[in-house]
């Protein structure tokens, strides 16, 4: 089983701060996705990264795929309350397994 | 709304009753996945189905749980003789082709929340 470890498990910050959350595995993935889930709703796909070392930006969110395609990070600049949610990573196509997620709370 | 549709959104059952959760995938999607989520936890894979076929049920409990995706109609996750531990949010996702053959992107419904009294 390819396990995905996400850290930190919980993160509570003030509006305007920067943060980084991580998704790590001992296995190599052909691709990796990040999803955000808001309370009471289903997860929504944010991005897919495919190439080792790839960096993708989505407004204030920056996603990076590790060179060895075993890990990924999500950096949020100037966090806003609307960024609050559970951030989940999923290893591409090899397995239908998600990490346990990072629960982010951005306080106004 | 062309998204993944799940119903009911909320379901209350007493111990021993049956729960049936339905999922209509996005238009054009023929692959359906069911996940279970407990409060404050991530998504736990249960089963992956294609029309009329179960592709992977490695995450499904061996007893009381079953899933189908008939040629016509929605996919159904069925839980027989529910127990309190079955209380959870059940999410359905769909994809246009097998996630095992592409980058693996899933499109989720808003979930069905089962409460067992």
């Amino acid at each position: 089983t390819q396990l995905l470890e996400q850290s930190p498990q919980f993160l509570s910050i003030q509006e305007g701060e920067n943060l980084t959350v991580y998704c790590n595995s001992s296995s190599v993935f052909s691709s990796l996705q990040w999803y955000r889930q808001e309370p009471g709703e289903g997860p929504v796909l944010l991005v897919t990264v495919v190439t080792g070392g790839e960096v993708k930006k989505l407004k204030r969110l920056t996603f990076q795929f590790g060179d060895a395609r075993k890990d990924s990070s999500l950096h949020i600049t100037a966090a806003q309350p609307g960024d609050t949610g559970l951030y989940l990573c999923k290893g591409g196509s090899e397995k239908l397994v998600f990490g346990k997620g990072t629960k982010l709370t951005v306080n106004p | 709304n062309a998204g993944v549709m799940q119903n009911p959104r909320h379901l209350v059952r007493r111990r021993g009753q049956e729960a049936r959760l339905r999922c209509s995938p996005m238009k054009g999607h023929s692959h359906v996945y069911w996940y279970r989520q407990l409060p404050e936890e991530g998504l736990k894979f249960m089963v992956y189905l294609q029309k009329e076929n179960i592709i992977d049920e490695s995450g499904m409990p061996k007893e009381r749980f079953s899933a189908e995706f008939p040629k016509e109609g929605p996919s159904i996750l069925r839980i027989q003789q529910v127990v309190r531990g079955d209380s959870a949010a059940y999410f359905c996702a769909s994809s246009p082709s097998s996630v095992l053959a592409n980058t693996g992107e899933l499109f989720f419904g808003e979930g069905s929340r089962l409460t067992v009294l």
Side-chain angles (χ1 to χ4, degrees), chain B residues 50-53 68-74:
Chain B
Q50 205 178 342
K51 285 280 187 183
E52 301 184 278
N53 284 308
E68 62 176 8
F69 189 15
K71 189 176 179 182
E72 302 290 339

Side-chain angles (χ1 to χ4, degrees), chain A residues 9-10 31 33 35 37 40-43 45 48 50 86 88 90 92-100 103, chain B residues 9 33 35 37 40-43 45 48 56 58 91 99-111 113:
Chain A
Q9 189 175 355
F10 299 96
S31 63
Q33 289 123 36
Y35 294 75
Q37 183 181 22
E41 299 184 8
L45 177 68
T48 297
V50 179
L86 179 67
L88 296 157
K90 173 182 165 294
S93 60
E94 285 84 358
K95 273 291 187 181
L96 299 164
V97 176
F98 282 79
K100 289 189 176 181
K103 186 173 181 181
Chain B
R9 290 293 308 277
Y33 314 80
Y35 286 83
Q37 186 175 42
E40 305 297 324
E41 291 194 12
L43 295 163
F45 168 73
Y48 163 30
D56 183 346
S58 58
F91 288 94
V99 294
L100 302 180
N102 58 35
T103 54
E105 296 168 350
L106 297 175
F107 299 87
F108 282 86
E110 295 192 334
R113 280 146 190 85

Side-chain angles (χ1 to χ4, degrees), chain B residues 30-115:
Chain B
S30 58
H31 299 254
V32 164
Y33 314 80
W34 285 93
Y35 286 83
R36 177 164 64 179
Q37 186 175 42
L38 295 171
E40 305 297 324
E41 291 194 12
L43 295 163
K44 184 174 183 296
F45 168 73
M46 298 182 74
V47 62
Y48 163 30
L49 309 105
Q50 205 178 342
K51 285 280 187 183
E52 301 184 278
N53 284 308
I54 296 175
I55 308 300
D56 183 346
E57 57 181 347
S58 58
M60 192 96 100
K62 293 285 184 276
E63 297 179 352
R64 303 187 298 107
F65 284 73
S66 62
E68 62 176 8
F69 189 15
K71 189 176 179 182
E72 302 290 339
S75 175
I76 295 177
L77 179 67
R78 181 183 179 205
I79 311 172
Q80 295 178 290
Q81 300 173 346
V82 296
V83 300
R84 288 212 173 113
D86 296 333
S87 295
Y90 292 84
F91 288 94
C92 170
S94 71
S95 65
S97 58
S98 171
V99 294
L100 302 180
N102 58 35
T103 54
E105 296 168 350
L106 297 175
F107 299 87
F108 282 86
E110 295 192 334
S112 292
R113 280 146 190 85
L114 172 65
T115 301

